[in-house]
Amino acid sequence: MKILIIEDEPALAQAMTTYLEQEGNLCETAATFEEAWLKSGVYEYDCILVDIGLPGGTGLDIIRKLKKEHKQAGIIIVSAKDSIDDKITGLEIGSDDYLPKPFHLAELNARIKALLRRRKFGGEPQIRFREIVVDPQKQEVLVNEMPIRLTRSEYALLLYFLANPNRVLTKESVAEHLSGDSADLLDTIDFIYSHIKNLRKKLMDAGAGDYIKSVYGMGYKWSVT
Amino acid sequence: MKILIIEDEPALAQAMTTYLEQEGNLCETAATFEEAWLKSGVYEYDCILVDIGLPGGTGLDIIRKLKKEHKQAGIIIVSAKDSIDDKITGLEIGSDDYLPKPFHLAELNARIKALLRRRKFGGEPQIRFREIVVDPQKQEVLVNEMPIRLTRSEYALLLYFLANPNRVLTKESVAEHLSGDSADLLDTIDFIYSHIKNLRKKLMDAGAGDYIKSVYGMGYKWSVT
DNA sequence: TTTGGACTATGAAAATTCTAATTATCGAGG
DNA sequence: CCTCGATAATTAGAATTTTCATAGTCCAAA
């Protein structure tokens, strides 16, 4: 297992290296994002640990870049910032876990293992439901083999339903899911009516079944009969 | 310290209660969201622990509800789901921390303490920068005491800049930040030009300084001189 | 200093999201 | 079985986001 450690505090980097190598891994360290970028261009890593606290860039950029080049690598953010904002953004951007400082080396190790276990099984394949196939990679949806064009909202909606078949989803939770917004107080959630309608129409027009049932007073359900 | 534990596994609920009461807290448990909802209507809690794995709702709805009624309470998600999606959504929805199962009771306790410490000092006050004042609660922005109206994107952009003054933010990271999208492969990021332009205009029209500098070949910087 | 190519700005149109008003539907209680 | 109030669907349009084509600016090399 090859691990890249991006960390500018030499003592910590050293400690991490020592511990993780004891566990049977091979580690490299980089003290700056530039160095990390160079190394990552040369080697393939299974896991990359990034301290987003270092100077020279927000640290989030590098994750995006790394994610692109090293699709197979798991990325774990390590950070002293306890700001939730950074946490969210890090995860959104494509890191796979977040470990706030200070942490026990044992926990770090556990997370690395968990991450790679997770990653091993199923690398986000297609999602299928009868005549509907969703390819999350390409953000493409096929109905009866024919591609249909969905807007971002419709796509998110469809995925949410497919992830929760036969389960009543409240209008509230649907609304939260759509408006990626940190959803403090959505004053109104009527907008989901529109999206529901549009998604229904596009699916039906393409010849798919009518799976979105409204549950009076509750919300909606992707109904599998 | 009054804590509400929403957890349907009796053994775990019991263990959590015992441990946390030893630490000097007062705990209540609820095995279902409904029960939790009822209790939360009667008592005020300082902290609420939610297992989003329980049946009957996605678990995220309840967080939203609780957040609304118990603004002062810290909410920590506890979950066996290792799906990153849930993690993100939970944090976005308004929970304050996320603790994956299994966990040590000591870690839970540590997080509760950390949360309340964080919460104690400044409950997300205003953000000020010279003539600009942002009130995250109200999502309102004042320039020279006069409110200005920003769209969601412009607001997010402004906050991102204010959080990173005098620091070059790449176009990529700005784009990721705006399109709340899990940003896999944004085909184009030109749209930020528009948002930058609009934000600049609104700020200048309101009489604020011209702090957004473009850094050739790099990105943008909120320039404090 | 000039020039060319890459980067950034701008304005307007297209697409999408969200709002608001109206109409239709549900289901409990009479 | 009806009626009424609440919930959902529909529609059109306003607001916002995103794209696109065009124009301007910067930097480096000649």
Side-chain angles (χ1 to χ4, degrees), chain B:
Chain B
M1 169 88 80
K2 204 157 167 54
I3 302 175
L4 175 62
I5 300 170
I6 308 177
E7 168 64 58
D8 66 338
E9 221 182 296
L12 181 53
Q14 183 54 49
M16 289 164 77
T17 303
T18 308
Y19 187 90
L20 293 173
E21 296 204 328
Q22 268 177 12
E23 295 289 322
N25 302 294
L26 199 58
C27 300
E28 299 250 9
T29 62
T32 65
F33 291 132
E34 197 157 26
E35 190 185 341
W37 186 237
L38 291 177
K39 289 206 173 181
S40 73
V42 182
Y43 304 108
E44 281 295 315
Y45 295 97
D46 301 299
C47 180
I48 301 176
L49 308 177
V50 189
D51 180 347
I52 52 172
L54 7 159
T58 69
L60 295 172
D61 324 319
I62 194 82
I63 292 171
R64 190 174 179 281
K65 281 188 170 180
L66 290 171
K67 194 75 187 174
K68 243 183 181 164
E69 303 300 315
H70 294 258
K71 288 196 201 307
Q72 87 298 344
I75 296 181
I76 298 181
I77 292 182
V78 171
S79 168
K81 299 200 172 185
D82 60 351
S83 134
I84 289 176
D85 261 25
D86 276 82
K87 200 165 189 166
I88 295 175
T89 315
L91 290 168
E92 278 177 347
I93 263 182
S95 80
D96 300 291
D97 203 350
Y98 181 96
L99 189 59
K101 280 185 183 176
F103 54 84
H104 288 290
L105 289 171
E107 185 175 3
L108 174 59
N109 190 46
R111 297 231 189 165
I112 292 175
K113 279 188 182 157
L115 174 61
L116 295 162
R117 200 179 317 119
R118 220 187 293 156
R119 193 157 283 272
K120 201 164 182 179
F121 306 108
E124 316 213 33
Q126 292 175 334
I127 297 161
R128 300 179 146 275
F129 177 83
R130 302 203 182 153
E131 68 275 30
I132 301 170
V133 180
V134 181
D135 184 334
Q137 249 75 40
K138 313 182 58 179
Q139 297 231 154
E140 193 185 56
V141 178
L142 305 179
V143 174
N144 294 321
E145 320 298 320
M146 295 294 293
I148 63 174
R149 193 176 143 70
L150 297 184
T151 69
R152 199 195 336 276
S153 299
E154 290 151 11
Y155 179 79
L157 195 50
L158 176 59
L159 244 57
Y160 191 36
F161 276 124
L162 291 181
N164 298 282
N166 255 344
R167 194 167 177 178
V168 177
L169 304 173
T170 65
K171 285 202 300 293
E172 284 76 13
S173 72
V174 171
E176 308 267 308
H177 216 83
L178 289 190
S179 80
D181 212 12
S182 317
D184 287 323
L185 25 100
L186 298 182
D187 42 351
T188 173
I189 55 179
D190 292 356
F191 67 91
I192 71 162
Y193 289 133
S194 295
H195 292 306
I196 291 276
K197 177 174 70 90
N198 295 335
L199 178 57
R200 273 176 172 156
K201 182 166 194 323
K202 286 192 183 175
L203 289 177
M204 307 267 297
D205 284 359
D210 180 18
Y211 303 114
I212 303 175
K213 302 293 184 196
S214 26
V215 182
Y216 192 87
M218 293 280 122
Y220 295 93
K221 181 165 83 165
W222 184 271
S223 179
V224 183
T225 49

